[in-house]
Amino acid sequence: MFCRVSDLKGRTVRARDGDVGSVEDVYFDDEHLAVRYLVVKTGTWLRQRRVLVSPRAVHAWPTEGVVEVDVTREQVEHSPPIESDEPVSRRYEKAYADYYRQPYYWNGPNLWGIGAYPAPWPGEAFEYGGRWDAAERSAAEDEALQAEVREAEECHLRSANEVMGYHVVARDGEVGEIDDLLVDPKDWSVRELVVDTRLWWPGGHVSVPADALESIDWSSSRAGIKLDRATVRGRGT
């Protein structure tokens, strides 16, 4: 059974030693269609900071009101900071993964790099890291980091909040607006788009397979799908 991304919003995020905040958004990878991070608003505890939490740290897709994560409050406090008004670059993701000593999900043949699921590969033990401090890196290390990620700097992470309301365009015309994303709770892959069709025909909502997505035009807020309108309409209930 697939789960709605919208159901994560507002849920409390609980570390090993206490609450760290609540889910404000979800970042998904528009290239491989998988949820890569929860965006957590920490509230007054960390002066309204926003931090990222990878599904690798989540015990399981939450079925109730709390997202349990396998990190400590101190680790969250000292994790690499993000700027809410800037895209998350591959360079930042590398720093994040290094901080938590996690494998890079973009290195390997599977959805999560070395594995198909966002969990440590059997036989591997990923020890959560120390304190993030950019000043501790030497100039040579910084240049090496830039060289490693320069070709992969293009951002593929997108805000789920941002795409809600995007126009969905079939081969022969518009069919509705994105209302939600349905995710497989086992591997956190985006499996279906929930499309609100009420402005085009009665019936409410239909689900469209995520692999039917051809393109997302961020400048015009449109998502193109490789289906015709009749096929989309036939998926209604």
Side-chain angles (χ1 to χ4, degrees):
M1 182 177 179
F2 301 148
C3 301
R4 290 177 174 265
V5 159
S6 62
D7 287 343
L8 290 173
K9 289 186 64 176
R11 288 182 183 262
T12 297
V13 178
R14 183 164 297 157
R16 297 177 198 160
D17 52 355
D19 295 348
V20 297
S22 60
V23 178
E24 183 180 62
D25 196 0
V26 166
Y27 286 166
F28 70 97
D29 175 353
D30 70 356
E31 184 176 31
H32 300 291
L33 293 178
V35 171
R36 300 302 186 185
Y37 303 99
L38 305 181
V39 182
V40 180
K41 187 174 183 179
T42 60
T44 56
W45 172 58
L46 283 180
R47 300 176 300 281
Q48 301 292 341
R49 267 188 63 189
R50 288 172 175 79
V51 297
L52 299 186
V53 173
S54 167
R56 292 187 186 278
V58 179
H59 289 304
W61 188 279
T63 57
E64 297 183 357
V66 176
V67 182
E68 301 277 355
V69 295
D70 189 24
V71 296
T72 66
R73 283 163 60 94
E74 181 180 11
Q75 288 166 340
V76 171
E77 181 179 2
H78 298 302
S79 65
I82 63 169
E83 298 294 337
S84 60
D85 57 348
E86 295 180 4
V88 175
S89 68
R90 182 56 54 83
R91 179 177 181 177
Y92 170 87
E93 290 191 273
K94 186 176 187 301
Y96 178 94
D98 288 348
Y99 172 78
Y100 282 111
R101 295 192 174 101
Q102 296 174 350
Y104 305 148
Y105 68 77
W106 58 89
N107 281 354
N110 301 304
L111 186 64
W112 288 92
I114 60 175
Y117 301 97
W121 190 245
E124 300 264 10
F126 298 109
E127 177 187 355
Y128 288 112
R131 186 185 183 101
W132 161 260
D133 188 347
E136 292 181 357
R137 296 198 312 269
S138 69
E141 289 173 329
D142 195 56
E143 176 55 33
L145 174 61
Q146 292 184 51
E148 287 178 13
V149 301
R150 193 169 288 125
E151 294 183 358
E153 193 63 31
E154 182 181 355
C155 178
H156 286 287
L157 293 179
R158 304 297 177 182
S159 159
N161 287 348
E162 179 186 351
V163 303
M164 301 307 173
Y166 272 29
H167 294 280
V168 179
V169 183
R171 292 281 176 83
D172 52 353
E174 292 192 18
V175 294
E177 299 177 348
I178 296 178
D179 187 66
D180 212 340
L181 305 177
L182 298 184
V183 174
D184 186 329
K186 295 180 180 178
D187 62 7
W188 293 68
S189 61
V190 178
R191 302 298 295 273
E192 295 183 347
L193 312 177
V194 178
V195 181
D196 184 345
T197 64
R198 287 176 293 182
L199 292 180
W200 282 262
W201 58 73
H205 298 78
V206 299
S207 61
V208 174
D211 59 10
L213 185 65
E214 282 188 309
S215 63
I216 300 179
D217 188 335
W218 306 102
S219 61
S220 64
S221 302
R222 290 173 178 266
I225 57 174
K226 52 189 177 185
L227 301 174
D228 56 36
R229 298 182 81 208
T231 300
V232 174
R233 187 170 186 174
R235 296 182 61 85
T237 58

